[in-house]
Amino acid sequence: LKAIPAKAFSKATVMLAPPSKYGDYKYVLNIDEDKTQRLLGIVNQNTASYNAPDGIFSITPTLLTSSNKFRTSISGSFTNRNSPTTKEHLEQHNLIDNSLLKQSSKKSKTGENYRARGVFSYDLAKQHFITGEFQYVSINAKEKDNINSWKEENHLQKTFIQNSAKSNSTESFRGEFNHQYDFSKPGRTLNTVYSFNHTPTNKKSNASVEGNYEPKALPLLLKGKEKQEEHTIQMHYLDPLSSRISLETSLSYIYRDYQTKSKYMDIN
C-alpha cells in the first residue's frame, strides 16, 4: 500500500469475508476510489537480487489498475539459476581388505522459474461483489553429476566414469473465485467459493558409464509423469440471530485426482 498513490482513493477499509471471530477466512481490502482519479502504475515489489553462492537471480514487477468498480493487480516473477560447479574429493582406505578407493565429482544445477499471479475484485452491486485470483507457475530444473572412481583391491584396479543428469519440469495452474452477498440485515452474508489446482510434472534421469564398474554402485534410470488435480466448491452462510447468538453453517465438495506413472530402467 505504501507504493500506491493516495490520491487515487477516497477511502480504504479492511473486512473479513465473511466477518467471523473464528475460522479460516480471508481478508478483503475494500477500496472506494476517487472518481476524478484513475490508478495505473507499476510497482517493483522487491529489487532485483542476485544470490552469488547459489547462482540465483530474481526479479518481480507488479502492475496495478483501478477503474470504477473494477480493481486488479497483476504480478510476475522470473528466477534464473546457474549455480557454480561444486567439486568433491573422496579418498578411503579400508584396512580390512587392504583396498583403496578414490573418487572425484563435479555437480552443477541450472534452471528457470516463471510465475504469474493476478488478483481482481468487481462490485456487482451495492450488496455483493466477486473476487478472483489465478496463478501460473513453470519450474524447470536440471542437475548434472560427473563422477570419476578409481579402486584398487587385491592388486586389481577398477576404474569407471559416470555421467548422470536429472531434469524436472512442472507447470501449475491455480485459481479461485469468490462471490459474497451481503443481505440487508447487518452481518448476514453468503459466500460461494470455487478453487482449482492443476499440476502436471515430468521427471527424467539418465546416466552413461565408461570403464570397469560395479553394477551395485550405479543408480536406476527414471522416467515418470505425475499429475495432481483438485477442484473445491464451498458455501458459507453467517447470520447473527441476536447479539449473543449467531448461526454459521458451511458446505463443501472436494474432488481430487492424483496420477503417477513411472518407469525404472537398469543400465546394466
Side-chain angles (χ1 to χ4, degrees):
L1 289 177
K2 293 180 180 179
I4 301 177
K7 65 180 182 180
F9 309 120
S10 60
K11 184 177 67 173
T13 57
V14 177
M15 58 183 180
L16 283 170
S20 180
K21 186 177 180 180
Y22 306 102
D24 184 15
Y25 304 116
K26 299 182 178 180
Y27 290 92
V28 175
L29 181 63
N30 184 36
I31 299 176
D32 298 328
E33 73 273 13
D34 186 351
K35 295 185 181 301
T36 61
Q37 300 287 342
R38 292 295 180 264
L39 171 65
L40 176 61
I42 296 179
V43 179
N44 192 24
Q45 290 183 336
N46 60 303
T47 57
S49 60
Y50 179 69
N51 185 338
D54 294 331
I56 298 177
F57 171 80
S58 61
I59 186 171
T60 305
T62 301
L63 173 65
L64 303 172
T65 61
S66 174
S67 178
N68 294 328
K69 299 179 180 180
F70 183 75
R71 295 163 294 275
T72 182
S73 170
I74 300 176
S75 62
S77 66
F78 168 74
T79 301
N80 181 70
R81 177 168 188 166
N82 189 6
S83 64
T85 303
T86 301
K87 298 180 180 180
E88 297 179 355
H89 180 73
L90 170 66
E91 185 171 333
Q92 189 175 41
H93 191 183
N94 192 335
L95 298 178
I96 297 178
D97 58 4
N98 194 26
S99 63
L100 178 63
L101 173 64
K102 293 183 180 181
Q103 283 185 344
S104 61
S105 64
K106 295 181 180 180
K107 298 180 181 180
S108 62
K109 296 181 180 180
T110 58
E112 303 87 23
N113 295 353
Y114 301 91
R115 297 175 183 268
R117 179 177 181 266
V119 180
F120 75 90
S121 65
Y122 181 74
D123 299 329
L124 297 172
K126 184 178 180 180
Q127 293 179 257
H128 59 115
F129 62 91
I130 60 173
T131 61
E133 177 183 359
F134 68 88
Q135 293 187 44
Y136 169 74
V137 179
S138 176
I139 301 175
N140 297 308
K142 296 180 181 179
E143 297 183 17
K144 293 184 178 179
D145 191 0
N146 180 274
I147 300 177
N148 294 298
S149 294
W150 179 88
K151 185 176 183 180
E152 181 179 347
E153 185 177 6
N154 297 326
H155 303 290
L156 296 177
Q157 293 184 1
K158 297 180 180 180
T159 61
F160 72 89
I161 300 174
Q162 176 186 344
N163 296 303
S164 61
K166 297 179 182 179
S167 62
N168 294 327
S169 61
T170 300
E171 287 187 329
S172 177
F173 303 91
R174 302 176 185 176
E176 180 176 290
F177 300 93
N178 174 35
H179 174 266
Q180 177 168 321
Y181 185 83
D182 298 321
F183 295 88
S184 57
K185 181 180 179 180
R188 181 186 293 174
T189 58
L190 174 64
N191 270 82
T192 304
V193 182
Y194 166 71
S195 60
F196 67 91
N197 179 19
H198 176 72
T199 307
T201 302
N202 293 320
K203 298 181 178 180
K204 186 168 84 172
S205 67
N206 52 62
S208 61
V209 182
E210 300 176 3
N212 184 4
Y213 60 90
E214 296 181 5
K216 63 180 181 180
L218 302 179
L220 294 176
L221 304 186
L222 167 66
K223 186 176 182 180
K225 294 183 178 181
E226 295 180 358
K227 187 184 76 169
Q228 298 183 14
E229 191 164 348
E230 181 173 308
H231 299 266
T232 304
I233 299 177
Q234 302 179 62
M235 295 186 68
H236 184 272
Y237 176 73
L238 176 65
D239 189 351
L241 301 178
S242 65
S243 58
R244 295 184 178 182
I245 302 175
S246 62
L247 173 65
E248 188 173 357
T249 182
S250 62
L251 178 66
S252 63
Y253 170 77
I254 301 176
Y255 168 79
R256 293 187 178 99
D257 182 17
Y258 298 139
Q259 297 182 16
T260 301
K261 296 180 180 180
S262 301
K263 183 178 181 181
Y264 293 91
M265 295 172 290
D266 193 335
I267 63 176
N268 301 308

